[in-house]
Each structure stands twice: as C-alpha cells, then as structure tokens.
Amino acid sequence: MKRLFFLSLFSVCAHAQDVQWHGYVSQGLTQSVGSDYITDDDDITTDLTEVGINGRWQIHDQLALVGQLNYLNGGNRYEAGARVDYLFIDWAVPHIANWSTHIHLGRYKNRHWLYSASRDVPHTRATAILPQSVYFDGARDIALGSDGISVQSTHSDRNGVWEVNWSYGKSPLDDHDTEAFLGPNALGKTEQDYVHQFSVFYQPPSYNWRLGASWLSSDFRYEAAPREFFFDGKSEIERVVLSGIYFSEFWELSAEWVQEARLDSGAYAPTFATDRTGEGGYVQARYLFNPKFSALLSYDTFNLDRNDPNGHKLSVMSQGLIPSYYGYENTYAIGARWNIAPNWRLQAEHHWVEGAARSTTRIIPMNAGGTDKHWRMWAVQLMYWF
Amino acid sequence: MSRLLGFILLQRVRFAIGIALIALSQLSVTSARAAEDNLQFVFHPSVGKQNLTPTEARSIFTARQQHWEDGNKIHVFVLQTDSPTHRRFCRQMLQMFPYQLERIWNQIIYSGQGDAPHVVVSQEALIDAVQATPGAVGYASEELLENRQDKVDPQ
C-alpha cells in the first residue's frame, strides 16, 4: 500500500513538469456619467473585477489539454459571474510543407480579430472598455469563443509570416442572452445554430506590421414559449473585419474596420423583418515614453445602419420614440499606463461619447431613455498576473 | 585665511570633477563592452542544432513554431523581460521590440495557444536549465559561454 502511494506520488511529481498554471487578478473603479451603460444614476462603482486562472497539461508532445476559468464583473456592461472561458484539446499536427498547424477541439477562443482571443485578460488589451464598434459588450458572450473546432495554420519564411484561422461551432446561450436580445418578458429560448469564421493575417519580414481580414457568419433562432408576447424568430449575421497593427520603438498604432449585415425576422410579429448593415471602426495610438509609462489616444465610430448615418430613419420609424442619436456612436478616449513592477500594472482611461448605438443590445423605445446624446465614462484598474 | 579656504575648496572641486570623469570613462568602457558582447543561442544536445536562422528564431520565440522538425516539443528559456540582456536579445537576435514579444506571449498564455517560455533569473541558470531539458533552446552571451568551465557548446 505504502509502495503504491509512493509510486502515485512519483507519478504526480513527474507529471507536474508537464503542467503549467497562470492567472490574473484585477480590480478597478469605474463610472458612466449620462448613461446607464456601466452604472445606474452616475454612480461610481467597484464593479470592475476580472479574475482568471488557466492551466495547460501537456499529455504528449503533440497533445495538450488547456482551459481557463474566469470571474468577470463589468457593471451593467454584461452579466457578472464565473464562466469557462476556454477548455479544449490542442493537437499539434505534424508540419506539412512548412506549415505549422494546431487543431483545437472543445470550447475554443475566437482568434479572428486583434484583441478577441484575450479580451477578458486585463493586461493583454489597450483599455478596460474596448472599442465598441468591433468589440461590442452587448454581444460579448457570443464573440469570445464557441464550442466546436478551430484550426490555426502558420507559415514563416524570409518573405514574412502567414497565419490562417478557421473555426466552426456554436456558443451556449442562456436566459441572460435571451433577455439581452428580446427583454425580460421573453419566455422562450434563444439558440445559436452555428458561427463560422475564417481569417488571414500577414506579417512582413520586418515584423513591424500585422495585417488581417476576417469573415463571420452566424444564425440565431428564437423558439417562443407556448403562451407569450413574442413569436418564433431568426437573426442572420454576417461580419467582415479588416485589422492592422503597427509597431515601432516608441509608437504602436492599431486599427480595425467592421461591417456587420444583420437580417432579423419574426420575434416581434410573424411578419416582422428588418435588414440593415452597420459599419464602423477604430484607430488607437499608444506612445511609449519608456518601458514603464505609456499613453493612449483613440477614436471609435459606429453607425447602426450605414444608410442612416445620423439615425433620422431610426427615429422616424419609431415615431420619434427613439432619439436619432441611437443610430450612431462616436467615442474619443485617452489613457495612461504605468508598469509599476514586473507583472503589476495600473491603467486609467477616460472616454467621451456622442451617440448611443452601442449603449444597449436592444434599441427599442423602452430602452431609449438610458443614455444622453453626450455622455462619458472612465475606469482605473490595478492588475497583477502570473 | 579666506584665500586659503578658497584654495582648499577649489582643490576639492577639481578632485571631485576628476573622480566623476574617471567614473564616466569607466561607465562608457563598460557599456562599450556590453554592446560588443554578442549573444548566441544555446541548445540541449538532443536538438542537434548549431544555430537558428532569423526566421526560425522568430518563429520559435514567438511560439509560432512549438515543435522541432522531428516532432519533439520545443522548450524556450528566457531571462526576465525587464533584464537588459533580454531586451538586447529581442533587438539583436529577433529584431523585435521587447514589448512586442511580451504582448505575443501574453496573448498565447491567456488564450491557451501554447506554452509560456520558462523564465530564469540569470544567464548561468539559463544555460544550466537548457542543458537539463531535452528540446530546450535559450540564449546567453558569447563571453559567458566561452568562460564556462564546463564548456557548454554554444553551437
């Protein structure tokens, strides 16, 4: 029995070398003024908490099991709670024609946009509140990753690096997502049929640039309960994103442009249908004074319908119940970062916003009073990672 | 009396300036030596490599290539990211900015894309760790490698 115990202990110790653990803890202060986007009644809150722990177990040279569990609280921006961020088998396929390929099976991460793979990890992103044109908090849970398969292939040679990503899966949705889409009175169930994504990135030999393009297609379905106000419905979304980032010794410049076509049918009435294409993007520049201090400037813009840039049609269609500024959102932001010590950082930011197109998931008359035409928000975050 | 005090003060100032100049010249000699001290890749003998091309080096240290050609796992060893040698390695051997490399690692570590590099506190510890880990690669200064009594082969 004793021998068996020592053998087991030895086995655990031997395998400990094949296991890696990392994590992060972050706490902040935040406020939205003139909007209930983060806090109600212009309150200052500590609802800016992000905690995560991840592990990687190298089962075999080509096979690993990886996962990350996190707890997030972002005020009104999304539902607070713990979640499995990712959990998948990482299979490193043998090199084919100098292409290095990884296949991920399980809950994989969306790697198709610049910050999508680690948007919940405070020290990997530029600001606590990401540019909403591309990283809309209202749809964050369905843009983080999905349950299915993801394939990532990389080819490097003297001409640069090519990276090709493909993924197919579906995101698990719950009552909170249904509420975000249709409101608290919806009694039915929302499901994502699938999300299909493809992206290509290129980095020249200088490594100073990284340019990419991605495509997303996804369908959502609403199954109404036997007795309720809503009807069965469907949403079809197609999204194209162009990404670019530039690195220099003292400057870092990143930009992304998004076009999102959305076709909604049913739900509010059997014959209800809307078809619109939103468009927007952001540019952000970071200046590095030295390895410890840097400052950020950013501009983000989004139009709910590219054919209605001032939101006039939106307002007319709602008979004036939805103000026209819900048709667009323009944000200027400044930020500062201080790397206090290795693995410790203090980050602050302030955003000035005109418009409310990304202030709520559901732009309906009932929600149209939550945000002024001009509003602002700020956040200060202290973070540690290991 | 005041002239004597003035003379003594002047001599002391001259002495201080002299010391400062000597110190400055020593500093410049040290920094010149540091600049001349090139870095080399170090490998575990099982890897069977003598050097890396710039493309290979970038692929491996940015975790885009996580396995050697024979299929064995690559174990990357680096110094702490704020160490001058690591910063010099980024510029000299990878032709990247240190913050750029750190950014890539953070995205990889916190989205499950691969192993984090093993961080060690000194070049001596790095060489020892590389020697003890099959499939390992790291870097160290030529001078240190040459001076090591155990004659670690940097090639």
Side-chain angles (χ1 to χ4, degrees):
Chain A
M1 186 67 188
K2 191 183 273 184
R3 194 174 168 188
L4 186 66
F5 169 78
F6 282 113
L7 275 174
S8 304
L9 190 66
F10 174 77
S11 170
V12 167
C13 290
H15 284 296
Q17 290 179 353
D18 302 325
V19 177
Q20 285 198 353
W21 294 99
H22 294 278
Y24 54 91
V25 181
S26 169
Q27 179 58 54
L29 273 181
T30 188
Q31 179 191 27
S32 57
V33 180
S35 172
D36 56 10
Y37 177 63
I38 299 174
T39 51
D40 297 322
D41 307 319
D42 296 352
D43 289 340
I44 296 174
T45 179
T46 54
D47 287 351
L48 183 55
T49 308
E50 288 158 305
V51 182
I53 187 153
N54 69 53
R56 181 181 183 87
W57 175 32
Q58 197 70 41
I59 304 164
H60 176 267
D61 269 357
Q62 271 77 34
L63 212 60
L65 176 66
V66 295
Q68 180 160 281
L69 187 70
N70 58 16
Y71 170 83
L72 308 171
N73 186 352
N76 294 342
R77 290 191 291 146
Y78 48 80
E79 189 67 25
R83 55 198 93 192
V84 177
D85 190 28
Y86 59 81
L87 182 63
F88 59 81
I89 292 282
D90 177 6
W91 176 35
V93 180
H95 288 208
I96 302 169
N98 209 21
W99 281 84
S100 164
T101 302
H102 284 254
I103 295 176
H104 297 165
L105 284 168
R107 179 165 298 175
Y108 61 83
K109 291 299 291 183
N110 170 5
R111 285 179 52 82
H112 302 279
W113 315 322
L114 287 181
Y115 299 102
S116 54
S118 55
R119 66 185 282 181
D120 288 331
V121 185
H123 64 282
T124 66
R125 61 186 184 217
T127 46
I129 300 145
L130 287 169
Q132 292 296 295
S133 57
V134 177
Y135 303 95
F136 181 34
D137 281 326
R140 63 181 302 290
D141 279 345
I142 54 176
L144 286 170
S146 305
D147 297 342
I149 179 169
S150 168
V151 180
Q152 179 201 331
S153 276
T154 311
H155 176 82
S156 301
D157 62 23
R158 64 180 64 181
N159 298 314
V161 180
W162 285 96
E163 184 183 317
V164 179
N165 303 298
W166 172 84
S167 61
Y168 188 91
K170 61 187 285 186
S171 306
L173 304 182
D174 58 21
D175 292 345
H176 298 298
D177 296 299
T178 301
E179 188 178 329
F181 288 131
L182 292 169
N185 297 325
L187 303 175
K189 195 176 172 188
T190 306
E191 276 197 14
Q192 185 181 41
D193 290 333
Y194 69 91
V195 57
H196 191 186
Q197 286 177 276
F198 178 79
S199 61
V200 180
F201 283 88
Y202 170 70
Q203 201 157 11
S206 69
Y207 263 49
N208 280 26
W209 288 93
R210 187 164 182 253
L211 302 170
S214 75
W215 166 86
L216 174 152
S217 175
S218 181
D219 273 14
F220 293 90
R221 199 160 21 89
Y222 178 71
E223 287 176 13
R227 287 183 180 183
E228 69 160 320
F229 172 78
F230 294 102
F231 301 87
D232 288 350
K234 193 174 179 184
S235 287
E236 295 165 45
I237 296 172
E238 204 160 289
R239 201 175 212 245
V240 175
V241 178
L242 300 179
S243 309
I245 187 162
Y246 173 73
F247 302 99
S248 78
E249 182 151 20
F250 298 109
W251 280 99
E252 181 192 341
L253 192 70
S254 57
E256 289 188 293
W257 170 87
V258 61
Q259 191 176 84
E260 189 176 289
R262 181 170 173 159
L263 177 64
D264 295 329
S265 56
Y268 295 104
T271 55
F272 174 83
T274 61
D275 182 3
R276 68 174 178 234
T277 300
E279 196 170 62
Y282 71 88
V283 181
Q284 65 185 16
R286 176 174 294 282
Y287 184 78
L288 295 98
F289 298 101
N290 54 47
K292 283 188 177 297
F293 292 98
S294 64
L296 175 130
L297 273 176
S298 106
Y299 174 68
D300 180 33
T301 182
F302 184 75
N303 290 320
L304 202 60
D305 183 345
R306 65 176 177 169
N307 297 319
D308 182 25
N310 298 315
H312 291 317
K313 283 185 199 169
L314 177 73
S315 185
V316 168
M317 278 173 63
S318 67
Q319 297 177 329
L321 294 172
I322 301 175
S324 58
Y325 63 83
Y326 272 81
Y328 62 90
E329 188 168 308
N330 302 321
T331 306
Y332 292 91
I334 58 168
R337 176 182 288 178
W338 175 26
N339 292 325
I340 305 164
N343 299 11
W344 281 94
R345 178 179 293 165
L346 185 66
Q347 190 164 285
E349 65 201 65
H350 197 293
H351 305 246
W352 290 269
V353 191
E354 181 191 347
R358 290 303 213 190
S359 65
T360 175
T361 312
R362 295 181 307 129
I363 298 182
I364 56 171
M366 277 183 294
N367 284 358
T371 299
D372 299 338
K373 184 177 180 182
H374 295 274
W375 56 287
R376 62 190 181 88
M377 55 188 162
W378 60 266
V380 179
Q381 246 185 324
L382 178 68
M383 53 195 86
Y384 171 75
W385 62 96
F386 57 93
Chain B
M1 184 66 183
S2 63
R3 283 184 69 182
L4 181 65
L5 279 173
F7 176 76
I8 292 169
L9 190 64
L10 185 65
Q11 289 298 94
R12 285 189 174 180
V13 168
R14 279 179 180 168
F15 178 75
I17 290 171
I19 293 290
L21 283 173
I22 290 166
L24 273 175
S25 67
Q26 288 297 316
L27 267 179
S28 62
V29 167
T30 310
S31 61
R33 275 183 190 155
E36 285 167 11
D37 187 13
N38 287 325
L39 297 170
Q40 282 208 348
F41 291 109
V42 285
F43 303 93
H44 184 272
S46 67
V47 175
K49 275 193 176 283
Q50 299 184 343
N51 208 344
L52 295 174
T53 65
T55 304
E56 283 177 325
R58 283 178 173 178
S59 296
I60 288 168
F61 281 85
T62 58
R64 288 199 167 99
Q65 183 186 335
Q66 298 178 15
H67 295 82
W68 297 111
E69 289 79 0
D70 61 6
N72 286 324
K73 190 101 177 81
I74 300 175
H75 294 277
V76 175
F77 285 83
V78 294
L79 296 171
Q80 285 170 318
T81 54
D82 59 343
S83 83
T85 307
H86 175 74
R87 303 184 80 79
R88 196 150 50 86
F89 166 73
C90 292
R91 290 166 193 277
Q92 195 181 88
M93 309 287 275
L94 304 182
Q95 287 155 1
M96 294 175 74
F97 304 109
Y99 78 89
Q100 208 178 341
L101 188 62
E102 197 175 351
R103 182 82 46 85
I104 293 169
W105 284 347
N106 279 332
Q107 286 208 340
I108 287 165
I109 295 166
Y110 297 95
S111 61
Q113 307 301 313
D115 282 334
H118 305 272
V119 180
V120 289
V121 292
S122 69
Q123 293 190 58
E124 286 83 358
L126 190 147
I127 295 167
D128 290 341
V130 167
Q131 277 190 300
T133 313
V137 60
Y139 55 85
S141 75
E142 272 179 359
E143 192 182 352
L144 181 69
L145 288 165
E146 284 166 6
N147 291 342
R148 289 266 297 197
Q149 286 183 344
D150 51 1
K151 299 287 182 192
V152 175
D153 187 2
Q155 302 173 7

